[in-house]
């Protein structure tokens, strides 16, 4: 584990944070998720290191291209991680804070000297960064021609977006490189949105209503500062993710006699929203035991109850009791290409082959769950992806092979950062929301 500075009363130095950030960036380059890496950072360092690491990953394409020009021979991985981190800090402000260039250079050199894996390369780090400051105009002009550097996404990702969204691909990439707003979902069973917005205002926290239950904060803050958070008055959930409950439940009355399945439920945000909105008999599944615990924790804090089972939704023979469901939410595993602004490591972890593999998983889940739905029931298919293969393409293929499937008017693709489209599979551009895909498919009555 990385260690915090000796004096807990002082904020960690930029040098200390850079050293930890470089290790996180290196770990992502080696294929590890930040969700696994950041918990290894000491708690005192973690908030600052997370902010810096997110910043670096949002500029990693450009940083890699620049470092490749600055270093005639490719340095060892530890040095590369530090150079990528320092160059990214020299490119743009971090969370609105711009460090003086000489401060970044000096602190990066200090980080190199205080790490056994890089201490012999401190002079090399110093030389590369000072050269960047001298020649940055020419260096930036040279790498700007590289699309990976220009857009800070892998080339295959950029090309897929250009094919899938020829009018909007640049806006999607631009939005994906911006931090997402902090959006809350107000728990209707504990309070109402107007009252909770006033509670925020009383603490000097400005917010704007979004969707049916959401409030977008003007400024992000730790959940511990949210009034009533521990008592279950609200949850943190992007406005796009909050659409699921509306789309699955709209148009009818629900009761405890109605069986609802949340097939891939962790971490439990959509499960909880369904229960906040309707008194139903809900079964929440997830294949991972640890993630099932997160669902239970979420429901417990919000004062909600559901049956939570650790099971593979694609293998109903192992868990289904034979009683059909009135509604199914399938928030399927996907590339997460619509939420990279909140998970900037995803773009660097995914490989082009992952798309086809995940499409196969999604198809298997749809096929396995459709027989579990009552005639006249409804299934909401969702992914947090902007790739058409995981959205429109998946639903079209399903409809072609199931004559009892009826597509209902639905949202289709939600594209981050962009005004509303039209058509059977809409391209909606909701502005500050994440990228998502939603379509409701009803089973024809007997």
């Amino acid at each position: 584990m990385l260690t915090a500075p000796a004096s807990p009363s002082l904020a960690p130095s930029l040098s200390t944070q850079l050293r930890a950030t470089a290790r996180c960036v290196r770990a992502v380059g080696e294929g590890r998720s930040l969700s696994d890496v950041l918990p290894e950072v000491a708690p005192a360092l973690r908030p600052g290191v997370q902010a810096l690491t997110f910043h670096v990953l949002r500029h990693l394409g450009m940083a890699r291209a620049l470092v490749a020009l600055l270093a005639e021979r490719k340095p060892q991985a530890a040095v590369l991680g530090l150079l990528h981190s320092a160059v990214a800090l020299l490119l743009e402000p971090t969370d609105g804070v711009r460090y003086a260039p000489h401060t970044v250079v000096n602190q990066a050199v200090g980080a190199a000297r205080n790490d056994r894996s890089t201490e012999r390369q401190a002079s090399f780090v110093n030389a590369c960064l000072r050269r960047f400051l001298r020649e940055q105009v020419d260096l930036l002009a040279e790498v700007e021609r590289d699309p990976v550097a220009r857009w800070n996404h892998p080339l295959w990702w950029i090309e897929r977006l250009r094919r899938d969204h020829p009018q909007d691909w640049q806006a999607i990439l631009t939005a994906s490189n911006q931090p997402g707003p902090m959006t809350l979902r107000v728990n209707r069973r504990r309070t109402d949105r107007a009252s909770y917005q006033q509670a925020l205002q009383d603490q000097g926290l400005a917010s704007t209503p979004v969707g049916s239950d959401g409030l977008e904060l003007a400024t992000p803050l730790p959940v511990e500062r949210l009034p009533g958070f521990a008592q279950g008055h609200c949850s943190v959930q992007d406005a796009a993710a909050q659409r699921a409950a509306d789309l699955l439940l709209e148009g009818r009355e629900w009761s405890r006699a109605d069986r609802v399945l949340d097939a891939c439920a962790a971490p439990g945000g959509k499960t909880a929203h369904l229960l906040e909105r309707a008194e139903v008999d809900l079964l929440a599944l997830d294949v991972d035991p640890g993630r099932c615990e997160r669902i239970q924790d979420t429901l417990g804090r919000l004062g909600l109850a559901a049956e939570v089972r650790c099971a593979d939704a694609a293998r109903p023979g192992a868990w289904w009791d034979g009683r059909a469901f009135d509604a199914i939410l399938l928030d399927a595993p996907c590339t997460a290409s619509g939420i990279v602004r909140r998970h900037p490591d995803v773009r660097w972890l995914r490989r082009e082959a992952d798309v086809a593999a995940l499409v196969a998983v999604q198809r298997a889940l749809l096929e396995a769950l459709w027989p579990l739905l009552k005639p006249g029931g409804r299934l909401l298919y969702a992914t947090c992806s902007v790739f058409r293969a995981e959205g429109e393409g998946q639903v079209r293929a399903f409809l072609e092979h199931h004559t009892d499937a009826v597509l209902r008017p639905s949202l289709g693709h939600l594209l981050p950062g962009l005004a509303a489209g039209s058509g059977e599979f809409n391209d909606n551009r909701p502005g500050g929301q994440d990228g998502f895909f939603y379509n409701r498919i009803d089973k024809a009555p007997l």
Side-chain angles (χ1 to χ4, degrees):
M1 176 177 285
L2 303 173
T3 56
S7 175
S9 62
L10 299 176
S13 67
L14 179 58
S15 174
T16 301
Q17 294 182 75
L18 267 175
R19 194 161 69 245
T21 297
R23 293 181 186 178
C24 291
V25 172
R26 175 184 175 184
V28 171
E30 294 170 347
R32 295 187 65 198
S33 167
L34 275 186
S35 299
D36 296 328
V37 175
L38 283 172
E40 298 174 0
V41 178
L45 282 175
R46 199 174 299 149
V49 169
Q50 176 173 312
L52 290 176
T53 303
F54 275 32
H55 177 84
V56 175
L57 294 175
R58 291 185 178 116
H59 297 85
L60 188 57
M62 179 71 76
R64 283 175 171 173
L66 290 167
V67 171
L69 295 177
L70 293 169
E72 293 183 2
R73 289 185 297 179
K74 185 176 180 179
Q76 61 175 319
V79 176
L80 265 180
L82 183 56
L83 283 173
H84 291 153
S85 301
V87 168
L89 261 64
L90 292 169
L91 290 171
E92 297 283 348
T94 306
D95 282 353
V97 177
R98 181 180 287 280
Y99 296 99
H102 72 274
T103 298
V104 175
V105 174
N106 290 342
Q107 294 294 301
V109 172
R113 286 176 176 157
N114 288 302
D115 193 311
R116 290 182 179 179
S117 63
T118 57
E119 59 184 353
R120 295 184 179 181
Q121 300 296 314
S123 296
F124 173 74
V125 169
N126 183 57
C128 287
L129 296 179
R130 292 193 180 279
R131 181 188 166 195
F132 172 73
L133 295 181
R134 291 193 307 270
E135 304 176 20
Q136 60 182 302
V137 173
D138 292 337
L139 291 167
L140 288 169
E142 183 171 348
V143 301
E144 188 73 17
R145 296 190 292 269
D146 176 2
V148 176
R150 168 71 177 84
W151 296 108
N152 290 294
H153 283 73
L155 184 59
W156 70 266
W157 190 301
I158 298 169
E159 291 176 342
R160 180 175 284 271
L161 283 180
R162 291 185 69 167
R163 294 193 304 271
D164 285 358
H165 305 285
Q167 304 301 316
D168 299 321
W169 66 275
Q170 292 175 309
I172 294 171
L173 288 167
T174 299
S176 296
N177 281 324
Q178 304 301 316
M182 185 172 181
T183 306
L184 308 180
R185 187 190 75 245
V186 177
N187 183 356
R188 292 188 182 191
R189 294 187 180 274
R190 293 289 170 90
T191 183
D192 60 82
R193 181 163 65 179
S195 298
Y196 193 77
Q197 187 175 26
Q198 185 59 54
L200 291 172
Q201 186 62 44
D202 291 344
Q203 294 195 14
L205 304 172
S207 63
T208 304
V210 292
S212 56
D213 296 304
L215 289 170
E216 183 179 306
L217 297 180
T219 304
L221 73 162
V223 294
E224 294 81 8
R225 290 186 53 199
L226 293 172
F229 181 82
Q231 292 74 36
H233 289 195
C234 72
S235 299
V236 178
Q237 186 181 44
D238 186 79
Q242 293 184 37
R243 300 287 191 99
D246 288 334
L247 292 168
L248 187 64
L249 299 174
E250 66 182 356
R252 59 159 288 185
E253 296 294 324
W254 298 84
S255 71
R256 287 290 298 174
D258 293 308
R259 300 199 75 214
V260 176
L261 171 66
D262 188 349
C264 303
K270 296 182 183 69
T271 308
H273 197 193
L274 289 170
L275 292 168
E276 290 168 4
R277 295 286 299 275
E279 192 80 32
V280 294
D281 177 12
L282 192 146
L283 171 62
L285 297 182
D286 200 87
V287 72
D288 181 86
R291 288 167 62 83
C292 285
E293 290 183 13
R294 291 187 63 188
I295 300 172
Q296 294 280 26
D297 290 344
T298 296
L299 297 179
R301 181 179 64 83
L302 296 170
L304 303 168
E307 181 183 359
V308 179
R309 296 190 64 178
C310 182
D312 183 353
R315 300 178 180 275
W319 55 266
W320 187 43
D321 62 5
R323 294 186 297 148
F325 293 96
D326 298 275
I328 296 174
L329 171 59
L330 174 54
D331 186 8
C334 69
T335 57
S337 58
I339 58 172
V340 290
R341 61 183 187 164
R342 301 185 188 280
H343 302 277
D345 55 329
V346 166
R347 73 193 84 179
W348 307 116
L349 295 172
R350 288 290 181 214
R351 298 294 179 262
E352 187 170 13
D354 293 343
V355 180
L358 285 161
V359 166
V361 171
Q362 295 154 9
R363 184 180 303 117
L365 283 164
L366 279 166
E367 295 294 339
L369 295 176
W370 187 248
L372 280 56
L373 187 65
K374 287 181 180 178
R378 54 182 65 178
L379 182 149
L380 182 65
Y381 173 72
T383 64
C384 54
S385 174
V386 292
F387 295 152
R388 290 202 184 277
E390 300 181 278
E392 175 183 344
Q394 190 70 267
V395 172
R396 285 192 186 278
F398 183 80
L399 293 173
E400 288 176 2
H401 293 92
H402 294 83
T403 58
D404 59 346
V406 180
L407 183 67
R408 293 302 182 191
S410 208
L411 284 178
H413 288 278
L414 296 174
L415 305 182
L418 301 170
S422 61
E424 185 178 47
F425 293 94
N426 297 335
D427 280 353
N428 294 277
R429 302 162 182 87
Q433 300 178 22
D434 286 341
F436 251 85
F437 177 86
Y438 287 113
N439 264 128
R440 194 183 113 193
I441 307 169
D442 289 0
K443 181 176 281 191
L446 292 177

